[in-house]
Amino acid sequence: MEGPFNQMIIRGVTLINGDGAPPIGPVDIVVENNKIVAIEVVGFPGVAIDEKSRPKLKNGGKELDANGMYLLPGFVDMHGHVGGNAQGASPEYVFKLWMAHGITTVRQPSGRSVEEVNDLKRKSEKNEIIAPRIFGYTGFGQGAKSPISTKEQAIEWVRENAKKGADGIKFFGAEPQIMKAALEENKKLGLGSACHHAQLSVARWNVLHSARAGLTTMEHWYGLPEALFEDKTVQNYPLDYNYQNEQHRFEEAGKLWEQAAKPYSKHWYSVMNELISLDFTIVPTFNIYEASRDLHKARRAEWHEDYTLPSLWKFYEPSKISHGSYWHDWGTEQEVAWKKNYQLWMTFINEYKNRGGRVTTGSDSGFIYQLYGFAYIRELELLREAGFHPLEIIRSATLNGAEALGWADKIGSVQIGKLADFVIVEENPLQNLKVLYGTGAVRLTEDNKVIRAGGVKYTIKDGIIYDAKKLLADVKKMVDAEKTKLNWKLKQPGFQD
């Protein structure tokens, strides 16, 4: 890492500024004390730059030659869990994978205590650790002395959570009167909110109920098909269904969108339009369920070989007691159902964006064969599959996330006055999003040589320059050391020595 600097000039880069504008370049971007102070067009493609017209470097300033490269705002991961005991993933491991993929801001939605998250947040703010900027959302009821069973208890907990310094609350569902009281109080206090509308509560409290009560963002898609039901109030559960059975939970979830109102129907649009009118944000996290539609592909993604810890491999294995390890008997029928599920889900998300709704980018990594950092880039690809133009994808990954966090005046786009959070890559990510993966994109050269193109070159956060590939190498060393320590070898599930 290098910096921070009193002045930094990034020279000759092509700018993709994050607000939907097309690329422009070459430009010189001038940063002073972590603030963008100038963005100057310095020439034309294919024409030598006139050095006399460029911004001048001050004594002690830093000049970064980015000629021919592409610069984007730092990415915002709206659903980033900072590891966990079950996964055996340390914050350092997670943070370096995120930063290696240009993620400079993360919303941490529950899992760790307020105190833990605040400690990491403070260290990140002071740049004492290599980490993205952190927004911490506490799981509703976390740390309470007893289960929250009244409106009064809910309000008291929300106020206490705010006093502890949390940025918001992550809900999973509760009794309707408790959800309403908690969301309304949280909104009064000006904090953010997220909800994974778990099946245990969604029959009486779906996305529309939450949005009306003040929820600012929804996670995944649970609660949305239920709001779109026309001929039922609960999904078509098999009569032997048990929510604690992960196969039941995820297999039946894969059939939910087919039970909702048809795309472009009156009720479908009615729900969509109301959510948009409430300035409601959707964080789809398409990637986290991708193994549901292609288990082999997700399990054998090429980055697992070098960057996935043995403890994560163990956590992902089929299991009756590990969340998301639902491969009890996963086959063709389940995958085909999930492929259809994705088509309908993506249709809604794309139209939501088209009609002015805010869609952001989140990964929810650390589960179901999705690895920190890499999964975020996969999420970008899935937004492309959903129908987003690459510029719309970048906006979802940057400015939209900043807006949802209430930080659009500071981050999310490359504009004068904003903080110096950038992603710099040597290839054009609009032409191929795969160049943003740490492992790059496979390419054949004109002389018939196979190369890897791309991988983020520099991640800049708070005006500090990080060598993204060096961060990735650090992660590989951690994984190699753990494999050596455990004498670990990758084994395919179900095969013995």
Side-chain angles (χ1 to χ4, degrees):
M1 58 183 279
E2 291 185 86
F5 309 96
N6 291 334
Q7 186 203 41
M8 173 173 63
I9 302 180
I10 302 169
R11 300 284 195 191
V13 78
T14 297
L15 172 63
I16 302 170
N17 78 358
D19 67 7
I24 185 170
V27 302
D28 284 359
I29 299 172
V30 184
V31 174
E32 293 182 358
N33 298 315
N34 193 25
K35 288 283 183 71
I36 302 169
V37 297
I39 303 168
E40 296 193 18
V41 177
V42 294
F44 302 88
V47 178
I49 296 172
D50 181 0
E51 294 296 328
K52 297 175 186 176
S53 64
R54 308 186 84 168
K56 299 298 185 283
L57 190 69
K58 297 177 181 178
N59 290 335
K62 169 69 177 180
E63 197 169 57
L64 187 63
D65 181 6
N67 186 55
M69 301 183 195
Y70 292 79
L71 183 144
L72 305 84
F75 295 141
V76 179
D77 191 334
M78 286 290 287
H79 199 120
H81 293 283
V82 186
N85 293 330
Q87 289 95 332
S90 69
E92 182 190 5
Y93 170 81
V94 175
F95 291 155
K96 285 188 173 180
L97 280 169
W98 278 336
M99 293 281 283
H101 287 89
I103 298 164
T104 56
T105 300
V106 167
R107 184 180 66 165
Q108 214 285 148
S110 77
R112 293 182 177 270
S113 69
V114 183
E115 293 76 18
E116 284 181 295
V117 173
N118 281 348
D119 180 56
L120 293 169
K121 179 179 175 179
R122 179 189 59 78
K123 290 174 179 174
S124 175
E125 285 173 351
K126 294 184 176 182
N127 291 304
E128 295 174 356
I129 56 175
I130 297 172
R133 183 177 294 101
I134 299 169
F135 289 79
Y137 281 32
T138 315
F140 181 59
Q142 187 175 323
K145 295 176 182 176
S146 59
I148 296 173
S149 58
T150 68
K151 293 189 293 183
E152 293 73 21
Q153 288 175 328
I155 291 169
E156 181 184 355
W157 184 92
V158 169
R159 290 173 177 169
E160 187 62 28
N161 184 57
K163 287 178 185 175
K164 289 180 178 178
D167 296 299
I169 302 172
K170 165 79 173 293
F171 294 89
F172 289 89
E175 289 295 294
Q177 69 274 16
I178 291 174
M179 287 290 291
K180 187 172 187 292
L183 281 165
E184 288 178 349
E185 184 64 24
N186 193 62
K187 185 177 181 180
K188 285 180 192 175
L189 296 172
L191 271 63
S193 51
C195 189
H196 168 156
H197 292 79
Q199 286 96 328
L200 295 177
S201 299
V202 76
R204 291 188 297 154
W205 189 271
N206 61 42
V207 167
L208 276 180
H209 297 108
S210 291
R212 290 165 182 163
L215 183 73
T216 56
T217 73
M218 65 165 285
E219 310 305 297
H220 317 309
W221 50 266
Y222 303 108
L224 187 49
E226 288 86 351
L228 292 165
F229 285 165
E230 293 180 295
D231 60 352
K232 59 177 69 67
T233 60
V234 298
Q235 71 184 79
N236 293 330
Y237 293 111
L239 300 185
D240 63 347
Y241 179 97
N242 186 327
Y243 183 72
Q244 282 296 95
N245 182 314
E246 291 286 286
Q247 170 99 15
H248 286 183
R249 177 177 167 181
F250 285 92
E251 181 172 352
E252 295 308 314
K255 303 170 185 175
L256 242 174
W257 275 96
E258 283 199 325
Q259 299 170 42
K262 296 293 183 257
Y264 314 113
S265 65
K266 183 178 179 181
H267 184 53
W268 194 83
Y269 269 131
S270 174
V271 170
M272 180 182 294
N273 291 340
E274 182 173 355
L275 292 174
I276 292 171
S277 73
L278 292 167
D279 193 30
F280 191 68
T281 298
I282 298 180
V283 189
T285 66
F286 289 126
N287 78 95
I288 195 59
Y289 305 105
E290 193 169 24
S292 301
R293 66 175 187 171
D294 194 337
L295 175 57
H296 290 165
K297 175 182 176 181
R299 185 168 57 82
R300 298 302 288 128
E302 61 182 5
W303 43 81
H304 287 317
E305 303 290 341
D306 288 331
Y307 304 109
T308 296
L309 287 166
S311 57
L312 278 168
W313 278 109
K314 181 64 180 174
F315 182 70
Y316 296 150
E317 285 180 1
S319 171
K320 292 184 177 181
I321 60 175
S322 293
H323 172 52
S325 296
Y326 48 91
W327 321 112
H328 304 183
D329 187 10
W330 203 260
T332 307
E333 295 304 304
Q334 289 78 12
E335 290 190 352
V336 169
W338 266 95
K339 286 173 182 175
K340 293 177 181 176
N341 214 39
Y342 264 88
Q343 291 169 357
L344 294 168
W345 179 18
M346 286 177 163
T347 299
F348 188 95
I349 297 300
N350 191 49
E351 184 68 2
Y352 193 80
K353 172 263 298 177
N354 289 343
R355 295 177 76 86
R358 185 183 300 109
V359 177
T360 64
T361 305
S363 63
D364 196 15
S365 300
F367 303 91
I368 318 176
Y369 293 104
Q370 296 303 315
L371 185 60
Y372 311 96
F374 288 95
Y376 186 87
I377 306 307
R378 182 59 189 152
E379 184 71 6
L380 303 183
E381 290 194 283
L382 290 167
L383 287 167
R384 185 74 183 101
E385 182 181 328
F388 286 47
H389 186 282
L391 287 170
E392 293 175 325
I393 294 169
I394 300 305
R395 185 170 61 199
S396 291
T398 56
L399 186 57
N400 286 5
E403 289 177 350
L405 292 170
W407 264 54
D409 61 330
K410 300 179 183 70
I411 60 172
S413 60
V414 182
Q415 303 286 358
I416 291 172
K418 291 195 177 186
L419 301 181
D421 283 13
F422 308 127
V423 184
I424 299 177
V425 62
E426 292 174 305
E427 305 285 331
N428 184 352
L430 303 181
Q431 290 181 320
N432 184 2
L433 292 164
K434 293 183 190 299
V435 301
L436 294 169
Y437 284 119
T439 45
V442 177
R443 183 174 296 168
L444 190 66
T445 65
E446 291 185 5
D447 58 353
N448 203 35
K449 181 181 178 183
V450 180
I451 64 164
R452 287 289 176 144
V456 173
K457 187 170 182 65
Y458 301 115
T459 297
I460 300 176
K461 177 228 171 186
D462 282 333
I464 299 172
I465 304 169
Y466 297 89
D467 182 330
K469 296 182 180 181
K470 171 67 168 56
L471 295 177
L472 211 53
D474 289 348
V475 172
K476 186 177 185 304
K477 288 177 185 175
M478 293 182 206
V479 173
D480 287 345
E482 194 66 13
K483 287 178 179 178
T484 299
K485 175 183 171 184
L486 299 174
N487 193 27
W488 185 87
K489 297 284 189 297
L490 176 61
K491 298 175 184 176
Q492 302 301 334
F495 288 115
Q496 305 302 318
D497 291 337

